[in-house]
Amino acid sequence: MAASGSGGSRADNGYGGQQQPRRRKGPGALATAYLVIYNVVMTAGWLVIAVGLVRAYLAKGSYHSLYYSIEKPLKFFQTGALLEILHCAFGIVPSSVVLTAFQVMSRVFLTWAVTHSVKEVQTEDSVLLFVVSWTITEIIRYSFYTFSLLNHLPYLIKWARYTLFIILYPMGVTGELLTIYAALPFVRQSGLYSISLPNKYNFSFDYYTFLILVMISYIPLFPQLYFHMLHQRRKVLSHPDEHKKSE
């Protein structure tokens, strides 16, 4: 539950087809209409978050503690990404259910099980770091999916989708790791989500240790996902003239 794809590493879910080794049959008309609506709504939602961040910054004159200005829409739209798992499960999007679930749940975990549950970290600048990364990434990603479904993908959006992750992904992962690290002392002190023995289930769970393991899991996962996206970038953007076909 790590390396959640803050900078665009999430699978393209089959929209647009640039990353599919074999040409697949696209979703039916009804499924396409639903997916367009879903992606438009999600694009708008993350734009609301972006505007909220800018307005709060202009009003406060500081970037500190901007999380509170976008807390509700962030929770709503990030949790709304759970629908993407169902999209894969029902076959309207040709992507791996397991991979999509892993990537979506890692974001939801950080949103609810860390940032929401450990109130003390909400003022940390690291939260803003991953929120800004997520916001820019998701605006681009959902726009990319929308235009791909409509068979009219502007080259600028495709370029942004496969280029800005170079900065946004490390930025987001750094924010995520620093936020989990900041939560550790509070989790240890409060015993949050931990289960101690003895109990009737004869089961124990240490949330503090679990968070440390989550952080360690970034070590092997981050390079794999990052270099995978670099490979995808070379493949998708290797022929500049192809953008004419998408417009």
Side-chain angles (χ1 to χ4, degrees), residues 13 17 27-28 69-70 72 79 103 117 154 162 199 204 217 234 245:
N13 297 338
S69 64
I70 50 85
K72 290 182 179 180
T79 305
Q103 293 174 321
S117 299
Y162 291 101
N199 57 66
S204 65
S217 71
R234 286 194 298 269
K245 302 177 183 179

Side-chain angles (χ1 to χ4, degrees), residues 44-74 122 124-137 139 171:
W46 285 96
L47 281 169
V48 167
I49 294 171
V51 171
L53 286 171
V54 173
R55 291 182 61 182
Y57 173 76
L58 293 176
K60 294 179 61 175
S62 171
Y63 63 86
H64 298 293
S65 302
L66 293 184
Y67 171 79
Y68 302 109
S69 64
I70 50 85
E71 180 179 7
K72 290 182 179 180
L74 175 68
Q122 295 176 0
E124 295 286 333
D125 292 343
S126 58
V127 172
L128 182 63
L129 198 61
F130 75 71
V131 167
V132 170
S133 173
W134 288 6
T135 301
I136 298 173
T137 296
I139 290 172
M171 172 181 162

Side-chain angles (χ1 to χ4, degrees), residues 50-134:
V51 171
L53 286 171
V54 173
R55 291 182 61 182
Y57 173 76
L58 293 176
K60 294 179 61 175
S62 171
Y63 63 86
H64 298 293
S65 302
L66 293 184
Y67 171 79
Y68 302 109
S69 64
I70 50 85
E71 180 179 7
K72 290 182 179 180
L74 175 68
K75 290 176 178 176
F76 181 83
F77 287 102
Q78 186 55 72
T79 305
L82 290 171
L83 288 173
E84 295 176 31
I85 302 174
L86 297 180
H87 297 167
C88 298
F90 288 118
I92 62 175
V93 166
S95 284
S96 166
V97 177
V98 174
L99 179 60
T100 301
F102 172 82
Q103 293 174 321
V104 171
M105 289 303 299
S106 60
R107 289 267 201 99
V108 173
F109 171 81
L110 194 68
T111 300
W112 289 100
V114 179
T115 311
H116 169 76
S117 299
V118 186
K119 306 294 184 185
E120 292 84 355
V121 304
Q122 295 176 0
T123 57
E124 295 286 333
D125 292 343
S126 58
V127 172
L128 182 63
L129 198 61
F130 75 71
V131 167
V132 170
S133 173
W134 288 6

